[in-house]
């Protein structure tokens, strides 16, 4: 696997499924039109978490060498 793909830690994105818990309530209030917004929110959470993982790897690189 590419080091850049590993850096994103895609396997951790499953935790972001919690964002989709609001989807049924959105459907009740606004119909199916909110589905696209929820998909964008899920993707935004995934990309934000990947950015935090990458930033943490850069900041902690010296400490991580000792593990």
């Amino acid at each position: 696997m590419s080091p850049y793909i590993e850096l994103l830690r895609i396997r951790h994105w499953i935790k972001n499924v919690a964002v989709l818990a609001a989807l049924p309530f959105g459907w009740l209030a606004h119909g199916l039109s909110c589905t696209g917004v929820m998909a964008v929110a899920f993707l935004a959470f995934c990309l934000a978490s990947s950015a935090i993982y990458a930033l943490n790897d850069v900041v902690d690189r010296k400490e991580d060498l000792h593990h």
Side-chain angles (χ1 to χ4, degrees):
M1 188 180 288
S2 167
Y4 296 112
I5 299 297
E6 288 182 31
L7 182 65
L8 293 176
R9 295 192 178 118
I10 293 174
R11 66 184 181 275
H12 292 274
W13 287 6
I14 192 70
K15 294 179 271 188
N16 297 333
V17 172
V19 171
L20 300 178
L23 194 54
F25 299 105
W27 286 336
L28 288 174
H30 304 286
L32 294 177
S33 64
C34 68
T35 305
V37 173
M38 292 301 295
V40 170
F42 176 74
L43 182 62
F45 267 73
C46 291
L47 294 176
S49 65
S50 290
I52 296 297
Y53 287 133
L55 179 65
N56 181 51
D57 286 346
V58 170
V59 171
D60 292 342
R61 67 184 175 273
K62 289 181 183 178
E63 290 82 10
D64 289 342
L65 287 175
H66 298 297
H67 292 132

